[in-house]
Amino acid sequence: MIEQALKGRRNYRIWSLALLVVAAGGVYASALQSADGFVHTGMGNNAIWGLYHAQLPFLASIAAASLAILVPGTLQKHSFLASLAPLAAFLGATASAMSLFFIAADLGMQRRILTLLLNPSPGAPASWQVPLLLLFLALTLTVGWAQVGAMRKGVKPPVWIRSAVMVAIPAGIALPVISAFTLAVVPGSELWTSALLAPRLMASGVAAGAGIMLLMAVTAEQLAGFKAGEETLERLAAVGAWAGLVFLALTGLDAATAMLGNMTADTAALALLYGNSPFAVVSWFALFSGTLSTGLLLVPSLRRSFIAAASLGSLLALSVWLQSGLTLILAGQLKDASAAAGYAPAVPELLLTAGIWAGAVLLMTVLLKITASAQLEREGL
Amino acid sequence: MMKNDRREFIRKAGMGLLAGMGAASGLLTGGGFERTTSAAWAAVPGEEGLRWGMLFDTRRCPEGCTLCIESCHHTHNVPDIASLEGKIEWMHKENGRELLGSLCASTAAVPALCNHCAEPSCARACPTGSIFRRTDGIVAIDYHRCVGCRSCMQSCPYGEVSFNWSDPRAALKNPTVEYPTRQRGVVEKCNFCSDRLVRGKKPSCVEACPEGAISFGNLNDPSSEIRRLLESSETLQRKPELGTRPSVFYII
Ligand code: SF4
Ligand code: SF4
Ligand code: SF4
């Protein structure tokens, strides 16, 4: 199976090489950070968490969202999502692996990383993050691999896949919940202590996950001859649109409650997010692009065009990444407007973040290629 | 008798909480809170055993004096880092109004340190149990277990946890041998002088204060000096409305 990943056309090799270069930049930045600590980042007393931590809620939600495709795709008979199930499994695995890398990157004492497993403190939500991510990574990777293997041989996927998916369901759902709870333990941080944060992360994850899968499936279709089927892609786009709508509604409800109730602490936090902080531009852009892409994806004719659906899906994913990751963490940790000027990511921090993303995209490319060629092989039989 | 004393103490201690809530709601003014009942606080059952606490009589704390801070930072090898983004503090002085809320009439600087909360949110956030509440009420940090995730720092509503963004040893001019230095990548904060208490000494800041403005003792012991002061004076705590139950009190 692995050899499929190495064969390929010229474009594929250039793309992989480019990703490798960016990933290598990440390795370099990581070495720099191991040697000198966080002095090469923009973090400090006014920005306790930075770009690394800002990826975590988003990635947890994407990992969980892969279940929305994986579960019906593997447990239901004749599901229209069956062809996408391996892609969903690989997306879940990649998102969990990325989370683990970002958690590691954000530790001041990286060589004590095993302490997170050896000395957990079960009362602290953050203790559950790493064990759950490892479990979910193992399950989704195995399931995806077994499915592709079966596809290649032209046989039905092994039955144990169903049990593995059953175990993955609670683990996956727990990921965004735990992620929300790690933020909820911070008293006085009004963007984080909302009970709607967990459902919001889940909905936003499904929206962004569908968007990313649309992009993946359409790219694989154009370049590697993968076939998901027209109807499947249209329905996937619909899943993204509806989830996007739920996400926007929950965000709106949270804000409306704060404003109608004149909850001063909450409205002050919203003012930092959308008003008097450097993140306001990003927040408004994210809200606007999320509304736009969700709205357009609700139009059936746009959903049926592969290119339009993939572009709108990517825009939706970008909007969610900004809202459920970047601004949620960076604006959420601000105590007041004067602290807002405190954070600008430094170059090594950007390199390391880009490096982890590039590594993940490379991994997804390889897995996608293996899936596509397995499908082609089966058809060739 | 003992029980009554405790009630009384709890009632007094609760005033900080009520005062805080009163201030937030804008309903209670100065004299008002003597008449309020402390039902919310009294519902918490009394505690046995040791709970270390500290009380500042800020009336005795002169403007500009930083002897307690200097003594603490020297005793515990706290590095002197000038930059605001990298600063490490176990003790500091802040505008009283900002620290204690609108009930504090004065804006003069008052000392602040970790509150050794009875419900510490820092400990609830720590994934490795490296910051934890001891049975004597002290919230301590295990520098050898801390992974440097800064969750505790994020969760402390008082900003009393500092992180070693850079190597602290490089910023130590005149280290004390009795107390360990830390390394880059871990958090630190006031330890209520647990290192001195085991040797039968009072906290360093208490000893350093020439005005006798700082009292230290067992909050659960009705005969302790700190309890007598709490019972005879009106005191404030920092952000009592958050439910962290700070063990540090202020007389304004
Ligand atoms: S003041 Fe902060 S660091 Fe100290 S015990 Fe309370 S929450 Fe923890
Ligand atoms: S920085 Fe250290 S003490 Fe604080 S939460 Fe993380 S592991 Fe615990
Ligand atoms: S109690 Fe000890 S550690 Fe805490 S501020 Fe005072 S001197 Fe420093």
Side-chain angles (χ1 to χ4, degrees):
Chain A
M1 226 139 85
I2 277 286
E3 71 277 2
Q4 297 301 335
L6 304 171
K7 284 194 274 187
R9 284 184 300 188
R10 200 162 146 263
N11 285 347
Y12 170 69
R13 286 205 299 273
I14 294 175
W15 170 242
S16 308
L17 198 68
L19 288 172
L20 264 178
V21 170
V22 182
V27 174
Y28 164 75
S30 164
L32 209 61
Q33 188 172 305
S34 308
D36 306 328
F38 288 137
V39 290
H40 298 298
T41 72
M43 292 185 276
N45 289 342
N46 273 328
I48 295 170
W49 286 334
L51 217 45
Y52 306 148
H53 202 101
Q55 315 290 328
L56 298 181
F58 171 76
L59 291 172
S61 73
I62 293 288
S66 66
L67 288 174
I69 312 290
L70 187 60
V71 172
T74 51
L75 299 188
Q76 269 178 16
K77 279 203 181 105
H78 315 297
S79 165
F80 68 88
L81 293 169
S83 63
L84 291 175
L87 290 195
F90 290 144
L91 181 64
T94 310
S96 329
M98 286 176 79
S99 292
L100 289 165
F101 274 105
F102 278 115
I103 288 175
D106 201 31
L107 294 185
M109 274 286 163
Q110 274 169 344
R111 65 192 138 87
R112 291 187 191 156
I113 187 160
L114 283 182
T115 309
L116 286 168
L117 287 174
L118 301 178
N119 273 315
S121 157
S127 284
W128 295 86
Q129 248 172 344
V130 171
L132 273 173
L133 284 167
L134 284 172
L135 176 68
F136 196 70
L137 171 63
L139 287 171
T140 43
L141 205 56
T142 332
V143 168
W145 203 251
Q147 277 177 318
V148 173
M151 197 195 260
R152 192 157 167 260
K153 293 197 200 94
V155 296
K156 280 208 178 108
V159 200
W160 58 258
I161 280 193
R162 301 170 71 90
S163 329
V165 171
M166 300 276 222
V167 181
I169 295 173
I173 292 176
L175 287 173
V177 175
I178 293 293
S179 190
F181 283 0
T182 58
L183 299 174
V185 295
V186 181
S189 57
E190 311 305 330
L191 286 185
W192 295 348
T193 47
S194 163
L196 282 188
L197 187 54
R200 232 169 75 198
L201 284 182
M202 285 194 212
S204 75
V206 175
I212 295 174
M213 293 215 15
L214 272 176
L215 178 69
M216 278 173 12
V218 171
T219 317
E221 174 118 19
Q222 307 281 322
L223 300 179
F226 173 78
K227 278 183 199 64
E230 210 162 306
E231 204 202 9
T232 305
L233 287 183
E234 201 216 317
R235 297 233 195 145
L236 184 62
V239 168
W242 286 107
L245 213 54
V246 173
F247 169 54
L248 290 171
L250 291 176
T251 308
L253 282 174
D254 231 4
T257 308
M259 286 188 280
L260 280 174
N262 192 17
M263 296 146 79
T264 44
D266 294 63
T267 46
L270 285 174
L272 277 176
L273 183 60
Y274 290 110
N276 48 4
S277 84
F279 307 112
V281 184
V282 185
S283 305
W284 282 112
F285 169 75
L287 202 58
F288 176 72
S289 57
T291 315
L292 183 75
S293 49
T294 301
L296 291 180
L297 276 177
L298 285 171
V299 180
S301 59
L302 285 174
R303 282 209 299 272
R304 276 193 287 275
S305 145
F306 282 0
I307 300 300
S311 336
L312 289 172
S314 317
L315 187 63
L316 184 55
L318 173 71
S319 152
V320 167
W321 177 67
L322 294 172
Q323 288 181 75
S324 292
L326 228 53
T327 55
L328 177 70
I329 296 296
L330 299 181
Q333 70 180 348
L334 297 177
K335 305 281 180 277
D336 51 56
S338 64
Y343 183 68
V347 174
E349 201 178 359
L350 287 167
L351 280 180
L352 183 42
T353 307
I356 296 177
W357 272 96
V361 176
L362 186 60
L363 180 67
M364 266 325 303
T365 311
V366 171
L367 292 172
L368 204 60
K369 187 142 190 305
I370 292 176
T371 314
S373 51
Q375 202 187 39
L376 283 182
E377 240 170 87
R378 184 189 52 185
E379 276 165 8
L381 282 177
Chain B
M1 185 62 214
M2 178 144 174
K3 214 163 185 152
N4 280 343
D5 269 346
R6 171 162 297 117
R7 277 255 168 73
E8 178 65 5
F9 162 64
I10 287 169
R11 195 180 70 80
K12 296 278 185 198
M15 261 175 215
L17 172 83
L18 289 166
M21 297 201 301
S25 66
L27 281 176
L28 299 174
T29 50
F33 63 93
E34 195 63 41
R35 291 191 300 275
T36 53
T37 62
S38 52
W41 183 273
V44 179
E47 292 156 19
E48 301 296 329
L50 188 55
R51 175 179 167 195
W52 290 116
M54 191 176 269
L55 187 146
F56 290 91
D57 187 344
T58 61
R59 296 168 302 188
R60 296 200 199 169
C61 178
E63 191 75 51
C65 172
T66 52
L67 289 173
C68 53
I69 302 173
E70 282 156 34
S71 167
C72 168
H73 286 190
H74 174 67
T75 315
H76 297 109
N77 291 322
V78 179
D80 185 11
I81 296 168
S83 101
L84 280 178
E85 286 296 315
K87 207 179 201 139
I88 296 187
E89 288 170 323
W90 285 29
M91 200 182 202
H92 48 114
K93 273 177 110 176
E94 304 294 339
N95 175 324
R97 179 76 54 81
E98 272 165 31
L99 213 61
L100 295 159
S102 55
L103 221 73
C104 175
S106 146
T107 54
V110 296
L113 69 168
C114 166
N115 291 289
H116 297 274
C117 307
E119 296 286 347
S121 46
C122 55
R124 204 172 306 142
C126 177
T128 58
S130 306
I131 187 162
F132 55 96
R133 186 170 187 260
R134 313 193 324 176
T135 49
D136 60 1
I138 293 182
V139 176
I141 295 175
D142 184 343
Y143 308 128
H144 298 284
R145 189 193 279 191
C146 168
V147 295
C149 68
R150 311 180 301 295
S151 303
C152 53
M153 193 180 182
Q154 195 72 266
S155 291
C156 171
Y158 311 98
E160 291 300 344
V161 183
S162 300
F163 181 72
N164 285 289
W165 297 101
S166 56
D167 179 14
R169 286 164 193 156
L172 277 178
K173 282 169 211 105
N174 173 22
T176 308
V177 285
E178 285 85 44
Y179 197 77
T181 54
R182 273 75 62 195
Q183 45 188 335
R184 191 193 71 210
V186 300
V187 290
E188 59 180 82
K189 64 167 191 66
C190 155
N191 64 355
F192 248 15
C193 279
S194 54
D195 56 309
R196 292 168 59 92
L197 294 176
V198 286
R199 288 182 276 145
K201 291 188 183 172
K202 284 198 162 187
S204 174
C205 53
V206 177
E207 250 176 34
C209 177
E211 308 290 331
I214 318 177
S215 313
F216 186 83
N218 181 4
L219 292 174
N220 287 346
D221 173 7
S223 60
S224 63
E225 183 209 345
I226 187 166
R227 273 287 293 272
R228 277 204 301 278
L229 279 167
L230 279 168
E231 278 160 40
S232 60
S233 352
E234 279 164 15
T235 55
L236 296 175
Q237 289 164 297
R238 290 174 68 187
K239 303 186 182 171
E241 70 279 8
L242 293 178
T244 49
R245 299 175 62 212
S247 303
V248 174
F249 298 82
Y250 295 86
I251 299 176
I252 299 303

